[in-house]
Amino acid sequence: MAGPALLSGVRVLNLASVGPAARAARWLSDYGADIITIGAVPARGAVQITPVFHAYSGHRGMRRALLDLKTDRGRETFLRLAEHADVVIESFRPGVVDRLGVGYEAVRDRNARIVYCSTTGFGQQGPYSQWAGHDLDYLAVGGYLAVGEPGARGNPALPGATLADSAGGGMHAVIAILAALVKGEGAYLDVSVADGVLSLMSLAVDEYLATGREPGYQHSMTSGRYACYATYPAADGRWLAVAAIEPKFWANFCRLLGLEQWIAHQTDDAVQDRIRADITEALAAKDRDTWTSILSGSNTCVAPILTVAETVEDPGYVSRGAFVDAVHPEHGDLRQSAPLLAGMLRPEPPVRLPAGTHSAEVLRESGFTAAEIEELLEEGTVA
């Protein structure tokens, strides 16, 4: 992307190190925001536990400051930093930031235009607000796990990726923050990952609310009822995804497989098992990549199911600059996902990833004197 980053000049104090809020911080950073991740000061002599390095792309474009928020001076230091920030992101359980003295009201008293984003699993209030949870729990209560094709034991199949954390939580937070920044008046944002999952499920939920029909497995086009929307193995044991929903794509698919007899029976429930069997037999004649060359560019809505190792070498992604070379002072040279979403800043490789902490630098930019910074470091309020 040419020109200045879209969020250049926006400063974010990020109190989250992992999970949906940390992903939101990474995306905001990729749009050019100045992200300052606030971590806890480790105990004297303790080994500091840090987030999984590669999971968040080495926190590229971010800086890190360590504060002891359990002390009066640590709280005051954070509030002074917040006076110069546009956004605060936190992911503690409801009530924790208020007990620490760095909640929305405390920050707003110092900075009325602050956008304060609290990201939790189930929201700030409600019967589940204090539940501990992870991605699978949010997908469970949002209905997502109930509508997919069951696993081998008849159980709801695991998704294999943290969809709730990424789309239900991280993107939910980013969208809300951007909307609040556009309005320009400051705001408190109660981002619930489970609410985000419910939004992702709106087609199924709205269908049920309108008709009373439960859109579970074997009910809808996209959850396994029809052979035209399914996965199939090829001769080499690798797999293809067939999503020929529209009749014209289904007809193309059937012709290329020599199964013209099934073109008029796409949604005939009585013969779906026979269609699946014939498709399985036909696709078993060639390997996955051969079928990809025959089908994928022929208006059939067929794509190869790639492993992660294959995905990172896939010419489609590589041609779009989806991966970038990076270098880290401690971890050395590595390759990582590039900023991907439309409008994100595309840095020139190699991307230089930050190391260590930037506490003194961040404090100095927020008006702390050299004497104050030295005192805070000496007493252990800042590290």
Side-chain angles (χ1 to χ4, degrees):
M1 159 180 152
L6 295 178
L7 292 181
S8 178
V10 173
R11 173 166 288 192
V12 179
L13 299 183
N14 169 38
L15 287 165
S17 58
V18 294
R23 297 183 192 203
R26 170 183 161 180
W27 284 319
L28 292 170
S29 175
D30 284 340
Y31 275 115
D34 177 17
I35 308 295
I36 300 167
T37 295
I38 306 296
V41 173
R44 297 283 185 181
V47 176
Q48 187 180 351
I49 304 300
T50 58
V52 178
F53 178 77
H54 297 288
Y56 296 93
S57 286
H59 298 274
R60 63 169 173 248
M62 305 184 197
R63 294 182 292 172
R64 197 155 181 260
L66 303 182
L67 302 181
D68 186 353
L69 294 177
K70 295 182 179 179
T71 67
D72 290 340
R73 290 203 71 181
R75 287 189 289 274
E76 175 60 23
T77 299
F78 178 84
L79 293 173
R80 283 181 64 180
L81 291 176
E83 292 175 6
H84 300 270
D86 302 287
V87 179
V88 170
I89 301 175
E90 63 93 4
S91 61
F92 294 102
R93 288 201 198 184
V96 171
V97 285
D98 290 327
R99 290 196 294 273
L100 288 172
V102 294
Y104 173 59
E105 297 296 337
V107 173
R108 187 179 63 172
D109 286 344
R110 309 288 280 267
N111 181 354
R113 61 181 179 78
I114 198 71
V115 173
Y116 197 106
C117 179
S118 294
T119 300
T120 58
F122 300 99
Q124 294 296 307
Q125 64 276 328
Y128 309 151
S129 63
Q130 293 297 324
W131 282 12
H134 278 302
D135 198 271
L136 196 64
D137 303 303
Y138 314 135
L139 295 176
V141 301
Y144 179 91
L145 295 182
V147 299
E149 186 172 6
R153 295 180 288 112
N155 56 300
L158 302 183
T162 52
L163 300 178
D165 279 1
S166 296
M171 288 191 178
H172 180 180
V174 169
I175 292 167
I177 288 167
L178 295 179
L181 289 172
V182 169
K183 188 175 183 181
E185 297 178 359
Y188 178 73
L189 306 174
D190 173 9
V191 170
S192 158
V193 181
D195 287 357
V197 171
L198 191 64
S199 178
L200 297 177
M201 289 294 298
S202 61
L203 288 177
V205 170
D206 288 348
E207 179 183 349
Y208 175 78
L209 292 174
T211 68
R213 293 194 302 268
E214 180 71 58
Y217 172 60
Q218 288 292 347
H219 173 72
S220 68
M221 174 67 76
T222 59
S223 61
R225 180 174 181 175
Y226 300 113
C228 64
Y229 198 92
T231 56
Y232 296 94
D236 56 357
R238 295 189 288 180
W239 290 72
L240 293 151
V242 178
I245 293 176
E246 292 85 353
K248 63 180 180 180
F249 297 141
W250 171 245
N252 292 338
F253 176 72
C254 288
R255 291 189 188 100
L256 288 167
L257 264 63
L259 300 176
E260 290 89 344
Q261 71 271 25
W262 296 126
I263 291 175
H265 298 276
Q266 180 180 11
T267 58
D268 184 349
D269 286 310
V271 294
Q272 290 304 306
D273 288 344
R274 292 168 59 191
I275 297 174
R276 287 189 185 90
D278 283 356
I279 293 173
T280 299
E281 181 179 0
L283 292 176
K286 296 178 173 61
D287 63 43
R288 185 200 66 185
D289 291 346
T290 299
W291 279 122
T292 299
S293 65
I294 295 170
L295 298 171
S296 297
S298 300
N299 289 323
T300 61
C301 295
V302 173
I305 296 178
L306 303 180
T307 66
V308 173
E310 289 175 316
T311 295
V312 300
E313 303 298 339
D314 178 68
Y317 281 122
V318 171
S319 70
R320 292 183 59 79
F323 310 102
V324 66
D325 293 327
V327 61
H328 187 276
E330 297 169 2
H331 298 271
D333 295 337
L334 57 124
R335 194 166 167 237
Q336 61 179 204
S337 299
L340 290 177
L341 304 181
M344 280 183 173
L345 182 66
R346 297 297 181 97
E348 291 293 327
V351 174
R352 302 199 176 275
L353 303 175
T357 61
H358 308 84
S359 302
E361 174 184 306
V362 168
L363 294 176
R364 186 164 53 251
E365 291 174 359
S366 296
F368 286 76
T369 66
E372 286 177 312
I373 295 171
E374 183 177 354
E375 184 178 352
L376 290 167
L377 290 169
E378 178 63 29
E379 70 186 18
T381 300
V382 173

